[in-house]
Each structure stands twice: as structure tokens, then as C-alpha cells.
């Protein structure tokens, strides 16, 4: 029986050690924006319409030259290989079977090449700009060699937000023996995860970042590596450098302000993802859905605009499309599903989203998602 995301979240919470669940589930500071992402979507009222021919529904679309069964992609999520055994491969397989894109995080456990060969999918690749441009160039070259059709440049993490849940849970603190004992206890008290992931799911290191780049400490070096290597000097001029090494679509993820959308257009972006990083960066900013209309007005249909943040159902997907976006990225939902049931859990989540979306289309009289617009919304 299909389970909604709320039930998959509860199952992931039971199965995963606290530090991994809180890393998926949490936000920054007081988590105000994290809550806004979900709550603001819920306030959008759709118009129920009747006596329309909904005998045939069209969900498919094409974005950045890639056919999709529905306008939804799995967003990049770091550490996913710790939620299930070789987790990124399992999630990419589920996405490929459902004919939706999977975007691999720079900070994945499984290497890009392993995910591509293990899933048979043409995965999108996320790029963070780091100080070492030679390393950035090598990542871009690997993405080209692997046949990645889209480069997703995430721009809202020049520094990491203050994620207090991660400090309390053991993900980024405390240090020393106390932290080590806390993490060991969490693993030992979750035996299914311990057997599936910790004992059989290795190697447990960042697959896209060689040990000589991140230094000693493996996953424990994560926070320090971000602090020391993510580049706070990045400006729109750096997009020219990325373009000089990548000839496919470049999609900019992490915009909330129309002025930044204008700058992205001027810099030659091929697409935009309206996003606040799942509420994990600057707390108190607008939700993705609240920021979306002004950015759509600024872009004026010149490039595709997608949105992420707070999407927990197929109904939410229709809300986003009716607001005017061309597609959605879903992050936390698939991470919960992976943590709850691996590849099968992600497949279940995608099937549930599709079924929910079909019901929402039928009851709003929207037989073709390409025609979804603000006429589906209550003024």
C-alpha cells in the first residue's frame, strides 16, 4: 500500500541513527524557513472544477532536452549513501525506472561513475564552487565523461548555515571522545541500519572528493572541509569560467531574489531553481513558493524556472506548476523514502507522487500539465 511522505518520514526516523535523520530533516537557526516551505504550500487553494473530460491525462514534459514522465526531479542530497547501502545508486535506479531525473550531490558517498554504471541513468550533476579551480575543473570533466546532461550549479552555500540540530545530534559536534561515543551508540542502537549500511555499505567516504583533497578524517572532515574550501569570493563572473569548461545546460540553484534572477539571465544561465536550500541556510527568508512569483515575472519565460522546498506530495507539485514553474526538485521527500526503504522506498514515493498528481489534475479539470497555470488557483 502506498505511503504518504509523512509515513516515510516516520519510518526513516525509526530506522536511521539520530544524526542522519536530523541531517535530512533539519534546518538552520530556529527552522522558521524550514516550516514556511511546507506551510506556505499548504495555504495555496486550488480551484475544483467538474464536468471536464479527464479521461486522458498528460503528465510528461521535456526540460533541458531531457524527456520526463512528470515535471519532477530528485534534488541533490549530500550523504545519501549513508541512508541506505550505496544509497545514491539505489535512488538513481528508482528515478531512472520512473523516468525522472536524478541529480547527484557533489557530497555524495557513491562516486558519480558508480551511480551512472549502477543505475544506467543519465544523471544530472551538482557542482559547488570551491577555491581549488583545478578540482572544480576535474569534477566538470568527470560529469562530461559520464554523460551528465545537466550541470546544477548550487550558489547559496558560500558558507554553511548555523544548523544547531547537527551540533546536538553528533553530525558536526561535539568533538573528541564524547562525540565518538555518541555516534557509536546511535549506530549500535539501530541494528538494521548498522548491518545494511555501516557493515555492508562501504566505503564510507565522499566518492567525488579524493582523500588527498579532503584530507584525513573521512566523513568527520566534512564540516571543516566546507569551511576551508567552499569559495566565498564567487560572483556571477565565475559562471563564465564554468561555461568555458561545460557546453551543456547550466542551471543555477539557490535563488530567492528577482535581482539575482536578473543577474543569472545576464550571465547566461540556462535555467533557475528557486530555492532556500531546504531551509538549511539563512533562516527567516521567504519560502520557495513565496519567492517564486516575483522571479517568474523577472524571467518572463526566457528560461525554465523550477522550484524546491517543502514539496511533500503530488498535490504540492500541481500547486507549484499552477503558480508558474516549469518543474520541481524534491529533496527531503526522497531522502526520507531512501532511509525508510532504500530503492523500493524511493520507487514507492515516486509512484505515490504520480498518483496524487493525477488525482489533483482530475479534480481541477487539468488534463495536460503543460497547460497548468494560475487559472487553477483561487484568486
Amino acid at each position: 500500500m502506498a505511503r504518504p511522505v509523512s509515513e516515510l518520514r516516520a519510518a526513516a526516523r525509526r530506522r536511521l541513527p539520530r544524526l542522519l535523520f536530523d541531517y535530512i530533516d533539519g534546518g538552520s537557526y530556529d527552522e522558521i524557513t524550514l516550516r514556511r516551505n511546507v506551510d506556505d504550500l499548504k495555504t495555496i487553494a486550488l480551484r475544483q472544477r467538474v464536468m471536464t473530460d479527464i479521461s486522458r491525462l498528460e503528465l510528461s514534459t521535456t526540460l533541458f532536452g531531457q524527456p520526463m514522465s512528470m515535471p519532477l526531479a530528485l534534488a541533490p542530497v549530500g550523504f545519501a549513501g549513508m541512508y541506505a547501502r550505496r544509497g545514491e545508486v539505489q535512488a538513481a535506479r528508482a528515478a531512472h525506472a520512473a523516468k525522472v531525473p536524478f541529480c547527484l550531490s557533489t557530497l555524495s558517498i557513491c562516486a558519480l561513475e558508480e551511480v551512472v554504471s549502477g543505475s544506467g541513468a543519465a544523471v544530472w550533476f551538482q557542482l559547488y564552487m570551491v577555491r581549488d579551480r583545478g578540482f572544480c575543473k576535474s569534477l566538470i570533466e568527470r560529469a562530461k565523461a559520464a554523460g551528465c546532461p545537466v550541470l546544477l550549479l548550487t550558489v547559496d552555500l558560500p558558507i554553511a548555515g548555523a544548523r544547531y540540530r547537527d551540533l546536538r545530534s553528533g553530525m558536526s559536534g561535539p568533538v573528541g571522545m564524547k562525540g565518538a561515543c555518541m555516534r557509536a551508540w546511535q549506530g549500535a542502537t539501530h541494528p538494521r541500519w548498522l548491518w545494511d549500511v555501516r557493515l555492508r555499505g562501504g566505503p564510507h567516504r565522499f566518492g567525488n572528493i579524493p582523500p588527498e583533497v579532503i584530507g584525513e578524517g573521512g566523513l568527520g572532515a566534512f564540516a571543516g572541509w566546507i569551511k576551508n574550501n567552499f569559495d566565498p569570493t564567487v560572483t556571477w563572473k565565475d559562471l563564465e569560467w564554468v561555461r568555458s569548461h561545460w557546453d551543456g545546460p547550466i542551471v543555477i540553484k539557490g535563488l530567492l531574489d528577482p535581482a539575482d534572477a536578473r543577474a543569472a539571465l545576464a550571465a547566461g544561465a540556462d535555467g533557475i531553481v528557486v530555492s532556500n536550500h531546504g531551509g538549511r541556510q539563512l533562516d527567516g527568508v521567504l519560502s520557495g513558493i513565496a519567492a517564486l512569483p516575483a522571479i517568474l515575472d523577472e524571467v518572463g519565460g526566457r528560461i525554465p524556472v523550477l522550484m524546491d522546498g517543502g514539496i511533500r506530495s503530488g498535490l504540492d507539485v500541481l500547486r507549484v506548476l499552477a503558480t508558474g514553474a516549469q518543474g520541481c526538485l524534491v529533496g527531503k521527500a526522497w531522502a526520507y523514502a531512501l532511509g525508510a526503504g532504500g530503492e523500493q522506498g524511493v520507487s514507492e514515493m515516486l509512484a505515490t507522487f504520480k498518483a496524487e498528481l493525477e488525482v489533483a489534475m482530475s479534480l481541477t479539470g487539468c488534463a495536460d500539465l503543460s497547460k497548468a497555470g494560475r487559472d487553477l488557483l483561487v484568486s
Side-chain angles (χ1 to χ4, degrees):
M1 186 177 72
R3 291 178 289 177
V5 167
S6 59
E7 292 184 15
L8 293 169
R9 176 182 179 273
R13 187 171 199 162
R14 291 191 297 270
R15 182 176 176 274
L16 297 176
R18 178 190 168 189
L19 79 166
L20 291 176
F21 176 79
D22 279 1
Y23 182 77
I24 296 171
D25 195 58
S28 64
Y29 296 92
D30 293 322
E31 301 187 344
I32 293 168
T33 297
L34 177 69
R35 292 188 291 274
R36 281 179 182 167
N37 281 345
V38 175
D39 293 343
D40 287 357
L41 273 168
K42 290 179 180 178
T43 65
I44 294 178
L46 294 164
R47 296 175 64 196
Q48 178 172 298
R49 300 299 305 277
V50 299
M51 301 295 282
T52 59
D53 183 358
I54 44 89
S55 57
R56 295 182 63 181
L57 300 178
E58 182 56 66
L59 285 72
S60 63
T61 190
T62 299
L63 281 173
F64 312 113
Q66 186 170 5
M68 305 161 62
S69 64
M70 52 183 166
L72 179 154
L74 301 192
V77 175
F79 282 97
M82 298 302 293
Y83 311 150
R85 179 162 26 113
R86 313 313 289 167
E88 290 96 359
V89 175
Q90 293 198 50
R93 279 201 300 258
H96 185 51
K99 299 179 181 178
V100 298
F102 172 85
C103 186
L104 184 69
S105 170
T106 299
L107 300 174
S108 61
I109 300 301
C110 299
L112 170 62
E113 295 80 5
E114 178 187 353
V115 174
V116 171
S117 63
S119 66
V123 305
W124 297 5
F125 186 69
Q126 177 212 34
L127 180 71
Y128 284 116
M129 294 296 288
V130 299
R131 297 176 191 269
D132 184 347
R133 291 295 192 268
F135 173 61
C136 275
K137 182 182 176 184
S138 72
L139 284 177
I140 294 171
E141 290 171 346
R142 287 172 65 182
K144 289 171 67 174
C148 297
V150 173
L151 191 69
L152 193 72
L153 182 61
T154 298
V155 297
D156 59 355
L157 209 157
I159 59 172
R163 302 170 189 174
Y164 296 132
R165 259 210 254 186
D166 289 349
L167 286 170
R168 293 190 294 267
S169 71
M171 174 62 81
S172 57
V175 298
M177 184 59 69
K178 181 179 179 181
C181 290
M182 176 189 295
R183 291 184 283 274
W185 174 253
Q186 289 183 33
T189 53
H190 292 80
R192 285 201 305 158
W193 175 87
L194 183 68
W195 171 246
D196 178 47
V197 181
R198 189 65 195 174
L199 298 180
R200 298 195 297 159
H204 302 113
R205 59 174 182 262
F206 294 115
N208 299 318
I209 307 174
E212 61 269 21
V213 173
I214 198 169
E216 297 297 326
L219 296 182
F222 166 67
W225 186 81
I226 286 181
K227 181 179 179 180
N228 294 327
N229 288 276
F230 277 37
D231 192 348
T233 71
V234 172
T235 69
W236 289 109
K237 291 182 179 180
D238 291 283
L239 189 57
E240 297 177 14
W241 181 88
V242 176
R243 175 65 72 192
S244 71
H245 299 289
W246 177 265
D247 52 11
I250 299 175
V251 179
I252 307 298
K253 180 178 182 289
L255 304 189
L256 290 175
D257 194 281
D260 286 333
R262 191 181 318 127
L265 281 169
D270 299 295
I272 286 171
V273 181
V274 178
S275 173
N276 53 41
H277 215 96
R280 297 165 60 77
Q281 283 296 95
L282 180 59
D283 198 24
V285 298
L286 291 175
S287 66
I289 195 66
L292 179 60
I295 289 182
L296 287 167
D297 291 344
E298 183 66 45
V299 170
R302 285 170 282 183
I303 58 175
V305 176
L306 290 72
M307 195 214 89
D308 77 1
I311 298 167
R312 301 291 187 268
S313 68
L315 184 61
D316 287 338
V317 173
L318 186 59
R319 287 168 167 144
V320 172
L321 298 176
T323 302
Q326 283 75 57
C328 303
L329 293 185
V330 175
K332 291 182 187 295
W334 79 258
Y336 295 142
L338 183 69
E343 179 181 349
Q344 182 178 346
V346 179
S347 294
E348 179 183 357
M349 183 220 84
L350 288 168
T352 300
F353 266 60
K354 183 178 181 182
E356 292 170 338
L357 182 53
E358 289 174 337
V359 170
M361 291 171 65
S362 298
L363 295 179
T364 56
C366 176
D368 186 343
L369 276 185
S370 68
K371 296 181 173 60
R374 295 184 186 181
D375 60 314
L376 295 183
L377 304 177
V378 175
S379 299

